[in-house]
Amino acid sequence: LSTIKELKEANEMLVETSGIVVKGIAAGKTLEQIKADGLPDKWRSWSVPTITTGRWIEMLYDGLTRK
């Protein structure tokens, strides 16, 4: 269960982080380059042991480049 505020924050995170990966892909960056660039500090607190920032970027990259 979540509040409206939490849902809006989650949506913002999804839109912003996927947008970062989309821009990296469009710029011709590899997965490793995008992972090295990382995410803005405001999203680092969302990293958890089961889904680290690097793993999250991998998941987005894989989903966005799958044909």
Side-chain angles (χ1 to χ4, degrees):
L1 300 175
S2 297
T3 65
I4 295 294
K5 179 181 181 271
E6 291 168 332
L7 290 172
K8 287 180 180 180
E9 289 172 352
N11 182 67
E12 181 183 359
M13 184 276 294
L14 293 170
V15 169
E16 187 172 329
T17 60
S18 61
I20 290 167
V21 175
V22 165
K23 287 179 185 174
I25 293 167
K29 291 185 178 184
T30 66
L31 171 59
E32 291 307 315
Q33 290 170 319
I34 297 170
K35 286 172 66 175
D37 291 344
L39 297 174
D41 287 340
K42 71 180 187 178
W43 302 125
R44 293 206 177 134
S45 67
W46 286 61
S47 181
V48 294
T50 53
I51 303 180
T52 63
T53 299
R55 179 67 185 123
W56 178 244
I57 292 171
E58 288 173 11
M59 291 166 56
L60 291 171
Y61 186 91
D62 290 346
L64 291 164
T65 58
R66 186 171 295 147
K67 294 181 181 186

